[in-house]
């Protein structure tokens, strides 16, 4: 799941009024939720991000709500968001007003933004015990759970290490034997697979997406030796030569190398996913295991494999000084409890429930995200080599800078991507336009740094 009240465009599901009878697949014993003390009549409000599968999401919400009520006597009311800007707005609105959800689920890179509000509970040893214990979770995820080990404000929920998925049938037809390890090879391989008359392209691009572009640009820039924020967290560096080169390389896929669908300037990640699932894309980068349930039921079932993304910048034989592989950020969703909540005991019971081994495995099989729960992750990896690839990526994951401006930075770069994509789509694009747009974004972020 990507990432509280009665705001526009927010879908609300109250389990008590669902109107749908579900057979519960797993029934939690009282002890699994931290005890069965009665909380009859109370309602825990939970904000969670949504995918594009409302049926599965609703079923999951109903199941968890039913189990939670059986264990505690309390009801869950769900609120949702579906974009990074909505995520940021709802988080900040609730904290400023001092009312809204009791439990927030947000992306790992939003934790610094959340912490900067000073509106979330700093977790005590007792809180961690109520949530299942720190040892339950993959340690890399804890690097983004708070500003320091004794200032953690969130509990890992699910994780999304990134990799590349490729069409093994298109590879074979093009005579490609192994996935590329450099971006030069990537472009060359993509060109070999591209066949516009058949609607097949070697790569994909989704510049209208609010989550993907910054991650891709971040990877390219880090491999070149650049960084979006200075190490001391005081200077925005969105307009460096490395950043400009990162953005240009991505749009070069459309304008110079012609390895992506010309119509993809309006694409979001769902559009790119559909194109790959239809067998029309050779390589799809910056993907997570969430893709698996879709691909298993698609035209490419049995014809795809995962691999690490390339780590050598385009045109180079090795990374420049200061460049790091950076194929994945520490990514996933975290659960945090609002300071204003008067239902913190129930909140930690909820967190314990959804992060236990059986529910984490069930989540992965339903939505594809990897468990943040170590036992659940290792259990799945032992059964599936593809899952093991992602777990290996997680061990080498690089945390993004822990600064409260990272959320606004994501939103700002999404705006840059959207503007450039619109220029490409209307034949107004020129690479010289990249720097001024990044200058503007850099100025916006610098004004928020202290």
């Amino acid at each position: 799941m990507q990432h509280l009240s009665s705001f526009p465009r927010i879908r609300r599901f109250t389990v008590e009024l669902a109107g749908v009878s579900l057979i519960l697949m797993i029934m939690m014993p009282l002890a699994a939720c931290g005890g069965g003390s009665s909380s009859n009549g109370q309602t825990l409000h939970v904000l969670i991000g949504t995918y594009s599968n409302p049926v599965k999401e609703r079923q999951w919400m109903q199941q968890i709500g039913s189990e939670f009520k059986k264990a505690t006597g309390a009801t869950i009311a769900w609120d949702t968001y579906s974009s990074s800007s909505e995520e940021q707005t709802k988080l900040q609105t609730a904290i400023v007003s001092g009312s809204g959800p009791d439990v927030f689920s947000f992306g790992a890179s939003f934790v610094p933004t959340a912490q900067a509000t000073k509106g979330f509970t700093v977790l005590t040893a007792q809180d961690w015990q109520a949530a299942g214990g720190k040892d339950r979770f993959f340690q890399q995820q804890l690097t983004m759970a708070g500003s320091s080990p004794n200032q953690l404000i969130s509990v890992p929920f699910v994780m999304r290490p990134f990799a590349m998925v490729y069409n093994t049938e298109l590879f074979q037809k093009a005579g490609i034997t192994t996935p590329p390890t450099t971006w030069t090879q990537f472009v060359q391989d993509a060109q070999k697979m591209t066949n516009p008359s058949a609607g097949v392209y070697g790569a994909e691009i989704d510049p209208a997406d609010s989550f993907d572009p910054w991650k891709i640009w971040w990877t390219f820039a880090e491999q070149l030796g650049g960084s979006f924020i200075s190490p001391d967290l005081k200077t925005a560096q969105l307009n460096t030569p490395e950043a400009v080169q990162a953005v240009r390389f991505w749009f070069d896929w459309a304008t110079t190398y012609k390895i992506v669908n010309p119509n993809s300037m309006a694409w979001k990640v769902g559009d790119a996913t559909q194109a790959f699932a239809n067998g029309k894309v050779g390589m799809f980068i910056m993907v997570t295991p969430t893709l698996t349930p879709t691909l298993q039921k698609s035209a490419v079932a049995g014809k795809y494999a995962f691999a690490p993304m390339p780590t050598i910048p385009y045109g180079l034989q090795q990374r420049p000084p200061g460049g790091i592989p950076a194929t994945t950020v520490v990514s996933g969703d975290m659960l945090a409890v609002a300071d204003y909540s008067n239902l913190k005991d129930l909140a930690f019971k909820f967190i314990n429930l959804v992060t236990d081994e059986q529910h984490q495995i069930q989540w992965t099989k339903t939505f594809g995200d990897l468990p943040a729960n170590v036992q659940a992750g290792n259990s799945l990896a032992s059964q599936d080599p593809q899952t093991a690839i992602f777990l290996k990526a997680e061990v080498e994951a690089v945390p993004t800078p822990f600064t409260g401006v990272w959320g606004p930075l994501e939103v700002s770069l999404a705006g840059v991507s959207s503007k450039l994509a619109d220029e490409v789509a209307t034949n107004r694009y020129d690479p010289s336009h990249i720097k001024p747009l990044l200058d503007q974004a850099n100025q916006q972020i610098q004004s928020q740094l202290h």
Side-chain angles (χ1 to χ4, degrees), residues 257-431:
Y257 309 128
K258 313 290 187 184
I259 55 176
V260 300
N261 190 316
N263 298 319
S264 60
M265 290 305 104
W267 282 11
K268 296 184 178 181
V269 68
D271 304 301
T273 300
Q274 192 60 54
F276 185 88
N278 290 340
K280 300 298 185 182
V281 172
M283 295 178 288
F284 187 1
I285 70 164
M286 204 59 71
V287 301
T288 69
T290 56
L291 202 61
T292 303
T294 298
L295 298 186
Q296 286 173 339
K297 299 175 182 177
S298 76
V300 296
K303 301 175 185 176
Y304 67 89
F306 293 100
M309 285 186 287
T311 59
I312 309 296
Y314 184 81
L316 301 179
Q317 299 300 314
Q318 61 185 23
R319 286 185 298 278
I324 61 174
T327 56
T328 182
V329 296
V330 174
S331 177
D333 288 340
M334 316 292 272
L335 297 168
V337 179
D339 251 348
Y340 58 67
S341 172
N342 59 2
L343 298 176
K344 291 181 182 177
D345 181 51
L346 280 176
F348 286 113
K349 288 179 180 179
F350 168 82
I351 292 173
N352 194 325
L353 173 68
V354 297
T355 63
D356 74 13
E357 183 176 0
Q358 61 180 336
H359 286 89
Q360 289 267 290
I361 289 175
Q362 178 191 352
W363 178 279
T364 297
K365 290 181 177 178
T366 304
F367 298 107
D369 292 307
L370 288 190
N373 181 302
V374 174
Q375 290 183 328
N378 290 339
S379 173
L380 291 169
S382 69
Q383 303 165 33
D384 178 23
Q386 304 284 21
T387 299
I389 289 174
F390 283 102
L391 286 189
K392 183 176 183 296
E394 174 66 21
V395 172
E396 300 168 352
V398 179
T400 48
F402 202 92
T403 168
V405 305
W406 198 264
L409 179 150
E410 292 183 20
V411 175
S412 186
L413 290 183
V416 172
S417 181
S418 180
K419 288 175 184 174
L420 290 171
D422 184 62
E423 289 188 7
V424 173
T426 55
N427 297 313
R428 295 180 292 115
Y429 172 80
D430 189 289

Side-chain angles (χ1 to χ4, degrees), residues 88-397:
Q88 177 177 309
T89 299
K90 301 315 174 191
L91 182 156
Q92 293 178 336
T93 300
I95 298 304
V96 169
S97 68
S99 64
D102 301 288
V103 178
F104 287 70
S105 168
F106 37 66
S109 60
F110 264 73
V111 176
T113 301
Q115 190 145 33
T117 68
K118 301 187 184 333
F120 291 90
T121 300
V122 176
L123 303 176
T124 64
Q126 185 178 357
D127 294 335
W128 276 107
Q129 185 177 2
K134 279 186 188 178
D135 291 345
R136 173 181 278 192
F137 305 101
F138 282 96
Q139 293 304 297
Q140 280 299 100
Q141 291 296 305
L142 294 174
T143 64
M144 290 300 294
S147 58
S148 64
N150 63 348
Q151 290 290 312
L152 303 183
I153 64 162
S154 60
V155 178
F157 177 27
V158 294
M159 64 185 193
R160 299 189 198 94
F162 293 95
M164 178 180 81
V165 65
Y166 61 96
N167 184 312
T168 54
E169 187 175 62
L170 291 178
F171 263 49
Q172 187 176 13
K173 286 181 180 177
I176 304 167
T177 56
T178 57
T181 58
T182 73
W183 290 107
T184 303
Q185 292 171 347
F186 178 92
V187 170
Q188 292 170 344
D189 289 347
Q191 288 173 328
K192 291 177 186 175
M193 290 183 282
T194 296
N195 181 1
S197 63
V200 173
Y201 294 87
E204 53 65 46
I205 192 169
D206 56 353
D209 196 79
S210 67
F211 293 105
D212 265 10
W214 78 260
K215 295 189 186 82
I216 294 167
W217 300 349
W218 175 89
T219 293
F220 295 160
E222 290 279 338
Q223 291 177 358
L224 286 163
S227 185
F228 287 168
I229 301 286
S230 64
D232 63 5
L233 306 180
K234 294 180 179 178
T235 306
Q237 300 176 159
L238 301 178
N239 58 350
T240 63
E242 293 85 3
V244 173
Q245 188 173 337
V247 176
R248 177 169 181 169
F249 175 58
W250 200 44
F251 281 101
D252 279 348
W253 294 9
T255 61
T256 302
Y257 309 128
K258 313 290 187 184
I259 55 176
V260 300
N261 190 316
N263 298 319
S264 60
M265 290 305 104
W267 282 11
K268 296 184 178 181
V269 68
D271 304 301
T273 300
Q274 192 60 54
F276 185 88
N278 290 340
K280 300 298 185 182
V281 172
M283 295 178 288
F284 187 1
I285 70 164
M286 204 59 71
V287 301
T288 69
T290 56
L291 202 61
T292 303
T294 298
L295 298 186
Q296 286 173 339
K297 299 175 182 177
S298 76
V300 296
K303 301 175 185 176
Y304 67 89
F306 293 100
M309 285 186 287
T311 59
I312 309 296
Y314 184 81
L316 301 179
Q317 299 300 314
Q318 61 185 23
R319 286 185 298 278
I324 61 174
T327 56
T328 182
V329 296
V330 174
S331 177
D333 288 340
M334 316 292 272
L335 297 168
V337 179
D339 251 348
Y340 58 67
S341 172
N342 59 2
L343 298 176
K344 291 181 182 177
D345 181 51
L346 280 176
F348 286 113
K349 288 179 180 179
F350 168 82
I351 292 173
N352 194 325
L353 173 68
V354 297
T355 63
D356 74 13
E357 183 176 0
Q358 61 180 336
H359 286 89
Q360 289 267 290
I361 289 175
Q362 178 191 352
W363 178 279
T364 297
K365 290 181 177 178
T366 304
F367 298 107
D369 292 307
L370 288 190
N373 181 302
V374 174
Q375 290 183 328
N378 290 339
S379 173
L380 291 169
S382 69
Q383 303 165 33
D384 178 23
Q386 304 284 21
T387 299
I389 289 174
F390 283 102
L391 286 189
K392 183 176 183 296
E394 174 66 21
V395 172
E396 300 168 352

